[in-house]
Amino acid sequence: MQNRFFTFILVLLFLSASQELYAMSDQQEINIGRQFSAEVERQYGLYHDPRWENKVETIGGELAQNAIRKIPYSFRVINMKDANAFALPGGFIYVTKGLLSYFENDDELAAVLAHEISHVELKHFQKMYAREN
């Protein structure tokens, strides 16, 4: 059920974005990402474990310092049992609770977060939308 809802949310994100999504400013992208982020958090909730929250935010923040785009990245853990991670437009990056048990060390978490940062850096969401329209 959660996977279907998550897929539905992604489809809605594509459909609700304007035709000019790919050419939008950083601030417009952040505003859209903030709206999507609020919906994801409303649907799933955040996973509140100070150890993991701190680890994800700290490692993600260190990686984001080296990003080319100077946008305010955020790194959060959502309360979802599936093992996944994803990035929303504007630098909103999530790791699911279900993925946490797979990490054997901080380097593996860093690799996942770096991968998600790369999606934002390369504007993959916007490019995918532009190809569809």
Side-chain angles (χ1 to χ4, degrees):
M1 178 75 164
Q2 284 186 342
N3 280 338
R4 279 184 257 155
F5 177 80
F6 187 67
T7 301
F8 176 71
I9 289 295
L10 289 177
V11 169
L12 285 180
L13 297 179
F14 283 117
L15 294 176
S16 66
S18 74
Q19 294 291 334
E20 299 151 6
L21 187 59
Y22 185 66
M24 76 173 103
S25 71
D26 284 351
Q27 190 56 56
Q28 289 171 314
E29 179 186 348
I30 292 165
N31 291 341
I32 289 170
R34 188 175 291 125
Q35 291 172 351
F36 298 158
S37 176
E39 181 59 28
V40 166
E41 291 180 24
R42 183 192 67 73
Q43 178 64 29
Y44 295 103
L46 294 175
Y47 177 60
H48 296 291
D49 178 333
R51 188 188 89 159
W52 280 110
E53 288 173 306
N54 185 48
K55 190 175 286 216
V56 168
E57 289 171 7
T58 300
I59 293 171
E62 290 171 4
L63 292 168
Q65 288 177 4
N66 297 302
I68 295 169
R69 297 180 68 198
K70 298 306 174 196
I71 58 175
Y73 281 90
S74 70
F75 302 89
R76 296 185 178 135
V77 181
I78 59 169
N79 195 17
M80 180 186 233
K81 65 180 178 179
D82 298 334
N84 201 2
F86 58 93
L88 297 175
F92 296 87
I93 295 177
Y94 291 91
V95 175
T96 64
K97 173 185 168 184
L99 185 60
L100 300 177
S101 64
Y102 288 92
F103 297 127
E104 293 184 17
N105 56 55
D106 290 352
D107 292 339
E108 291 178 353
L109 172 60
V112 168
L113 294 174
H115 175 88
E116 297 307 327
I117 289 170
S118 73
H119 286 302
V120 176
E121 287 290 301
L122 297 171
K123 297 187 175 190
H124 284 167
F125 180 86
Q126 294 85 331
K127 290 177 183 176
M128 192 172 3
Y129 180 82
R131 278 195 307 263
E132 298 293 322
N133 290 298

